[in-house]
Amino acid sequence: MRGFLLRRLFLALATLWLASSLVFAALLLLPGDPVQAILGLEASPAAREALERALGLDKPPWERYVDWLTRILRFDLGESIRYGKPVGELLGERLPLTLGLVLLGLGGALLLALPLALLALRFPLWDLALSGLMAFLQSVPTFFLGVVLLYALAVHLPLLPASGFPGFGEPCEALRHLLLPALTLALSRAAILFRMARGSLLEAMGQDYIRTARAKGVPEAWVLVKHALKPASLPLITLLGLEGGFLLTGAVVVEVVFALPGLGSLALTALEARDYPLLQGLVLVMAALIVLFNLLVDLLYGLLDPRVAYA
């Protein structure tokens, strides 16, 4: 088990290094001049040169890359051009909201998909209706779904707040403000989880141990929950790791729709201002979260199936 953990940790660190290198290379190709974005078109050459030296843009790319990696190893993400504050401080302020939104959306998607998949297998008449509903939800863009839910549950029926976030100092109020955007994310991803859960359960129901349980007179509902659910959950766990990454990117759109001060709105501001240090820090943190999601999935796989841990 220790060797399994070490291998997965090494792969996670290598993936994070590769992602950070690709981010740095991509930002070099990003159109636009950050110096011009800050100083404007009328800036003097002397002012431009001074700002380029301050931002390190006068150095060759390889030297800037080495400096950036060195700072990352010291947990220093630099200073934001737009806000004039340390990037780590800005990310620390916005990360809890986005992470809470993603976890609520992921948990909500799973709570919707798994019972509905069990219901579809237990009652075949519901299967066609639920499959059609999930196919429809999968085809609806996330931003459109958010706007519809915003009008239905915040404007037409004012059950939940329409926008804004009061902070985690008031947990109940914070949860109320996150419910509607989390529901948007949950509905947009529940369709994929439903299809995977339904397919895995169908495959599990054809195994010999299921036929043995039925032959012993075990009730069908208990066969589904007790004997088929655990083996069918392994592919679903793999998909959950991938969905964590999709929800992080989807949170960018949802935060804009519901005016939430998370990483999504921060990323749009950084992109408009050509704030390279902030953009690099944002993408690096998102990549780290995606790697963390997949690492947790690998570890959970090893706990649920001992054969994986010693592979």
Side-chain angles (χ1 to χ4, degrees):
M1 187 67 176
R2 181 179 299 176
F4 172 77
L5 294 176
L6 290 176
R7 286 197 305 271
R8 290 298 183 267
L9 184 59
F10 174 77
L11 288 175
L13 292 175
T15 303
L16 190 57
W17 169 77
L18 180 60
S20 65
S21 301
L22 291 176
V23 168
F24 185 87
L27 289 179
L28 289 177
L29 302 175
L30 190 68
D33 184 0
V35 175
Q36 180 178 307
I38 297 170
L39 298 179
L41 297 173
E42 305 299 327
S44 65
R48 289 180 57 87
E49 290 177 7
L51 186 57
E52 285 179 354
R53 284 195 301 271
L55 298 178
L57 298 177
D58 58 330
K59 299 177 182 179
W62 67 268
E63 188 174 343
R64 288 157 55 190
Y65 176 68
V66 171
D67 291 343
W68 186 53
L69 280 183
T70 305
R71 289 199 307 270
I72 289 175
L73 293 175
R74 299 197 306 264
F75 299 98
D76 179 12
L77 298 178
E79 186 172 301
S80 167
I81 300 171
R82 169 67 173 79
Y83 293 96
K85 297 172 63 176
V87 171
E89 181 181 335
L90 288 170
L91 297 180
E93 294 171 356
R94 305 290 188 102
L95 180 60
L97 189 151
T98 299
L99 197 56
L101 178 60
V102 168
L103 292 177
L104 281 175
L106 196 60
L110 186 60
L111 289 176
L112 283 171
L114 196 54
L116 290 179
L118 290 170
L119 184 64
L121 263 69
R122 183 68 181 86
F123 303 102
L125 291 178
W126 283 85
D127 191 10
L128 183 61
L130 289 173
S131 298
L133 175 62
M134 292 301 169
F136 171 75
L137 287 176
Q138 189 175 355
S139 65
V140 176
T142 304
F143 74 90
F144 180 76
L145 183 60
V147 171
V148 171
L149 290 176
L150 181 64
Y151 175 77
L153 299 179
V155 178
H156 185 66
L157 297 173
L159 301 176
L160 294 170
S163 62
F165 186 70
F168 287 103
E170 305 174 36
C172 294
E173 195 62 24
L175 182 60
R176 287 188 70 247
H177 280 77
L178 288 179
L179 279 179
L180 198 52
L183 180 61
T184 303
L185 287 176
L187 289 176
S188 67
R189 309 315 301 176
I192 298 176
L193 293 177
F194 169 82
R195 293 176 62 184
M196 175 60 76
R198 178 181 174 276
S200 299
L201 285 168
L202 278 174
E203 183 179 355
M205 293 297 286
Q207 301 300 317
D208 291 339
Y209 57 85
I210 297 295
R211 287 191 286 269
T212 301
R214 285 171 170 166
K216 291 180 177 179
V218 178
E220 189 68 16
W222 189 247
V223 169
L224 272 172
V225 175
K226 176 66 177 178
H227 297 282
L229 188 57
K230 183 177 179 179
S233 65
L234 294 177
L236 191 61
I237 290 171
T238 302
L239 186 59
L240 282 176
L242 298 174
E243 287 301 303
F246 282 115
L247 286 176
L248 272 174
T249 56
V252 175
V253 177
V254 171
E255 287 176 5
V256 173
V257 172
F258 293 95
L260 296 175
L263 293 182
S265 56
L266 190 64
L268 290 179
T269 302
L271 189 60
E272 291 173 356
R274 299 295 189 271
D275 192 340
Y276 287 178
L278 185 53
L279 279 173
Q280 289 171 337
L282 276 164
V283 179
L284 183 63
V285 167
M286 287 190 174
L289 289 174
I290 293 173
V291 169
L292 179 61
F293 276 133
N294 286 278
L295 178 61
L296 291 176
V297 165
D298 286 339
L299 297 179
L300 190 57
Y301 235 87
L303 291 174
L304 291 177
D305 190 350
R307 295 172 299 175
V308 177
Y310 299 101

